[in-house]
Amino acid sequence: MISWPTPFRPAVPGTGHPVQVFDSATGAVRAITPGPTARMYVCGITPYDATHMGHAATYVTFDVLGRALRDAGHDVEYVQNITDVDDPLLERANRDGIDWEDLAAEEIALFREDMTALAVIPPDHYVGVVESIEPVGAAVRALLERGAAYSVDTPDSDGDDLYLDISTDAGFGAVSNWTREQMLAVFADRGGDPDRAGKRDRLDPLLWRAARDGEPSWAVDGLPQGRPGWHIECTAIALDHLGMSFDVQGGGTDLVFPHHEMSATQAVVLTDQRPFARTYTHQAMVGLHGEKMSKSKGNLVLVSKLRADGVDPMAIRLALLGQHYRTDWSWTDAVLEQAQARLDTWRAALSVNSAPDSAQAVEAIRARVADDLDTPGALAAVDAWAKQTLTRGGADGTSAGVLARALDAILGVRV
Ligand code: ZN
């Protein structure tokens, strides 16, 4: 699928530091140790509603990670999926009386615009499920052939739904390290069906949904007419484009279980290798005025709405970078106002003819970002330089330009 335009990334003198991030699977901050090319997979949107601030936080966080890896001298091979056929999309399309494909196309277009406005570097492979039915179906078929999948009687279809038998992976649970009780507590709320009759284990995830009346479905050799389950799509797309043991699997903390757990287990069972990803990194949740931001509550802050209201996308990006990715936080008007004020101050400081040396500030951006994506720390270093520039001035005619390039290349902030 077409992604969006790649923003220009200016050259910055020097090189960044080796990058470390928090790995949910081991519960520790760990160095990412890629070869020349770092391989990263970040779970994409289900395109049934516009990009809200939680999505934006996730994609900006992993954009900064990709930029930090590039600054440290790596190439980055980045894959992102789009869940462009799934229950929530079909339900929304039905509710609104529109074609599910039209709804997906509309929301994907809006997402592209939001990402472009926020200066997010696009994935190298932007892959929809609808265009991946064959490889996803092949993965399901391989699981059946390995005896790791089974069918469950499905009276309302000509075929039967297919499930993964999680007992076929002795290491199941290695991504979340959750107890069975913790897993069962969220499974139903996050797309699972613990009470479906005929399953071997209540936690077994759906691999393939047999065709129902009025639902889209595809014919794949060896499978009932149907469509992919959610987790197997990411397993198949990641294996197709990155292979096993890629460097970073990313997404929101709400994907730790079941989505990342199941995606990893399926890959392990398919390949007899582990790990699926070497590091699992998760963006904390973004609320609104202290409440959880969710579609059901109708309190989503949408990037497109802010843009339409004339908010500078760079102020939105700065508001996101002002929070650490591992801490839940709430969007408020004050957060945006502070980010806009910061942007204005930086712009004033960076447009002077002579300024203090900026090498220390550039080094601080690099050091802070490489250290578990401490973007608030990086911003504070720029604040200090801007304050010094505006209060005491300096004699260097090129330092502001160098810092502006570093902000653009490493933090994705265009001033
Ligand atoms: Zn995924």
Side-chain angles (χ1 to χ4, degrees), residues 45-127:
I45 57 165
T46 301
Y48 68 105
D49 214 333
T51 318
H52 62 68
M53 215 41 78
H55 297 132
T58 295
Y59 300 115
V60 166
T61 287
F62 289 99
D63 183 57
V64 171
L65 176 53
R67 288 170 181 272
L69 288 164
R70 289 178 181 92
D71 189 47
H74 302 285
D75 288 328
V76 176
E77 182 146 33
Y78 179 18
V79 181
Q80 189 179 128
N81 66 304
I82 313 127
T83 307
D84 56 359
V85 60
D86 201 9
D87 296 345
L89 173 68
L90 301 175
E91 283 161 15
R92 177 63 63 95
N94 268 340
R95 188 198 78 179
D96 296 350
I98 50 176
D99 185 275
W100 64 276
E101 287 168 296
D102 293 343
L103 175 60
E106 219 171 88
E107 297 301 347
I108 292 167
L110 195 55
F111 179 72
R112 288 188 184 109
E113 284 175 23
D114 287 342
M115 293 298 104
T116 304
L118 291 173
V120 171
I121 297 174
D124 303 284
H125 308 279
Y126 191 45
V127 189

Side-chain angles (χ1 to χ4, degrees), residues 308-332:
D309 290 347
V311 174
D312 186 333
M314 285 300 109
I316 301 173
R317 184 159 174 127
L318 263 190
L320 297 170
L321 296 177
Q323 318 292 327
H324 193 257
Y325 80 98
R326 278 212 274 146
T327 308
D328 289 343
W329 59 283
S330 255
W331 181 269
T332 62

